Amino acid sequence: MKTQGSAPMSDGAQVRWTALGDTARRPPVVMLHGGPGLPDYLDEVASLIADLAPVYRYDQRGTGRSGWQGPHTLARHVDDLAELLDAWGAPEAVLIGHSYGTDLASRFCLKHSDRVTGMLLMCGPFVGDWRTGERAERRRRMSEAQRERLRALEEVPRRTEEQEVELLTLAWFADHADPERGWHWAARGARRRRPVNWTMNRELGEAGRADPLDDHLAELRACLPARTELLGGCQDPRPISSLASLAQRLAVPLTRVEGAGHEPWLERPDAVRAHLRRFVRGALGGADFDR
């Protein structure tokens, strides 16, 4: 069963959401997409577990169907999630974040740990000096011509539709372990995950650098729900060693998905499906096996 709706935020913004499964069941799973500045894209992932619990997704304000004109702050986005849970009548939820969504989930947990019954962080959050390794790996995966073209497109002040698609394809294809399929997935995403809210991306990026999650890890470890796990693709250009270090600092397990990059459900769907179902069953207090 698919349900859609719109929830008013306390500052007047309207956030559009989608739910799969029986929304009368509690607690729900809430999926937090990455970016920042992209609309929700986790529909394929949500369908893997919607028979176990209702799965809510939403376009973060300023993306997709959630129109918003105004400044973006990490605190406001944390408040949005709290207000959405209220709108859904959910005192607590299991959070599954991907990429930037893992940072949002972590910051939500820091403020509202009593509302998080489980948390799965996929392909993030990355802490420490992970960007040096990522830049080197991206450079290795791209040809010189591709790097030059990407730089040129980034400098275009007002890109056409085709230029934007080309830029995003070049920026994203190296996220995947398989370069040929990665190009296909990146091109598909470049047309579907639009428009990109570059202002939101810049403002939340600056906010994250001003108040890095790295500075809150001890506090986060102390308030994590008992069921907290990390999952990452071993061939993500963002170094898996960063996630391993984070897992150690938070004292939580890390599942490494071989042969997968930053969107592991695309390259290793069976492995990700099995892991998600095991995690959700455990977070809901059920048996630790799949059917």
Side-chain angles (χ1 to χ4, degrees), residues 142-239:
M142 299 176 71
S143 68
E144 182 59 35
Q146 289 171 332
R147 294 194 295 269
E148 289 180 358
R149 180 58 177 164
L150 179 58
R151 284 193 294 268
L153 288 168
E154 289 172 337
E155 294 173 1
V156 175
R158 293 184 179 178
R159 290 182 288 272
T160 66
E161 171 71 11
E162 288 307 309
Q163 286 174 328
E164 185 80 348
V165 168
E166 184 183 4
L167 178 144
L168 294 173
T169 303
L170 285 165
W172 292 343
F173 86 94
D175 278 343
H176 305 282
D178 184 322
E180 291 187 8
R181 291 194 298 167
W183 188 270
H184 165 74
W185 286 320
R188 183 181 68 176
R191 295 191 180 277
R192 293 181 178 178
R193 301 176 187 179
R194 302 288 308 288
V196 177
N197 188 330
W198 293 108
T199 299
M200 174 181 173
N201 181 274
R202 182 182 68 255
E203 290 178 349
L204 290 185
E206 291 172 353
R209 289 187 290 275
D211 182 24
L213 190 61
D214 309 49
D215 293 347
H216 302 282
L217 294 184
E219 182 185 357
L220 180 60
R221 175 174 175 168
C223 69
L224 287 174
R227 197 75 182 202
T228 301
E229 299 185 18
L230 297 175
L231 180 147
C234 292
Q235 280 67 52
D236 192 335
R238 302 156 188 80

Side-chain angles (χ1 to χ4, degrees), residues 57 64 91 220 241 247 257:
R57 309 173 350 254
L220 180 60
S241 59
V257 183

